[in-house]
Amino acid sequence: VWLLLLIPVAAAWWAWPLPGRWLKALRAVIFLLIILALAQLAIKLPDRAGTVIVVADRSASMPANAAVSEKEIIGLLHKSMGPRDQLGVVSFGRDTAVEQSPQRGEFAGFTAQVGPDHSRLNAAIESALSLMPPDAGGRILVLSDGKWTGKNPAAAAARAAGRGVAIDYRPLTRPQVGDVAIQSFLTPPSVQAGQAFAWNVGVQ
C-alpha cells in the first residue's frame, strides 16, 4: 500500500521542479528510498547455510560394511559443516528411526534396531522432511542401494520438491559379479489330484 505514495510524490516532483538536473535526480532518489523503506522492501539473498538430513539404508540388501561406510560419509559431512549448519541422521529398514536430530554435534553411530527384512525408503524420506525447519534451507542425502519395499518413495520425493528440499543420493551396492537371480517361476494353472506336473524356473 505504501507504494501508492509514488503517484502523488511523482506528481509533486513534476509540479515543483528544483533548479538543476542533479538536484532533481537527488530528490527523486531520496523520495524513492523513503517510500521503499516505508514499504519495508527486502531482498532475500541466497544462503548456503541450512540443515542436512542423512537417510541411511540399514536393510539386508546393503553391503556387509555399509554401516562403516555410512558413518564415514556422515563424519565427512560433519567436518565440512559451516558455523550455522545442522546435521541429522535417519536410519531405515522395516522401521524408521531418528538416530540424531538436527544439531551441530558429531554423530556417535547407529544404535536403533530398524529391522533388516524391509527397506521402507518412503517412510524414511517422510521422517527426514519432518525434521526440516520450515523457515530454513535444507537437503536430504540418501545412502542406499536403491532397492526399496512398501510405498513408492516418489510420493515423498514430490513432497520434498514442493517444499524446495533437494534430495541427493550416494549409491552403496553389493558387487554384482557372480550374482544369481531367479527370473521366472511358472507352474500349470491347475492340476488333478495325484497328477504329475512340471515347474519351469528361469535362473540368471
Side-chain angles (χ1 to χ4, degrees):
V1 175
W2 287 106
L3 296 179
L4 294 176
L5 287 176
L6 289 172
I7 298 174
V9 166
W13 179 84
W14 181 265
W16 296 286
L18 291 176
R21 184 188 313 173
W22 292 107
L23 289 178
K24 291 181 180 179
L26 179 61
R27 184 166 70 170
V29 170
I30 292 175
F31 284 167
L32 180 62
L33 292 177
I34 290 175
I35 293 175
L36 292 180
L38 291 172
Q40 297 181 358
L41 182 69
I43 300 175
K44 187 175 182 180
L45 299 176
D47 189 1
R48 294 183 60 86
T51 301
V52 174
I53 306 296
V54 177
V55 175
D57 190 345
R58 298 181 59 209
S59 62
S61 64
M62 294 289 287
N65 61 342
V68 177
S69 300
E70 289 170 340
K71 190 174 185 304
E72 181 181 357
I73 293 172
I74 295 171
L76 291 174
L77 285 173
H78 180 265
K79 290 179 182 178
S80 64
M81 287 172 56
R84 295 185 293 120
D85 294 332
Q86 291 187 322
L87 179 64
V89 180
V90 173
S91 65
F92 72 98
R94 181 183 64 249
D95 303 315
T96 301
V98 178
E99 302 276 1
Q100 175 177 296
S101 58
Q103 57 182 269
R104 291 199 43 77
E106 188 174 355
F107 180 58
F110 298 105
T111 58
Q113 300 297 322
V114 293
D117 54 337
H118 284 277
S119 184
R120 304 191 189 280
L121 179 56
N122 182 82
I125 295 177
E126 292 280 10
S127 179
L129 278 175
S130 68
L131 297 176
M132 286 288 182
D135 55 347
R139 304 180 76 89
I140 294 174
L141 173 62
V142 177
L143 306 178
S144 174
D145 58 359
K147 298 172 182 173
W148 51 270
T149 60
K151 190 176 181 181
N152 192 327
R159 277 188 285 276
R163 288 183 52 181
V165 176
I167 299 181
D168 304 309
Y169 70 94
R170 171 78 178 271
L172 299 175
T173 59
R174 291 178 178 269
Q176 299 298 316
V177 178
D179 192 17
V180 179
I182 297 177
Q183 287 187 314
S184 61
F185 192 85
L186 302 176
T187 61
S190 63
V191 294
Q192 299 295 326
Q195 176 186 354
F197 62 94
W199 292 354
N200 294 318
V201 180
V203 180
Q204 180 185 10

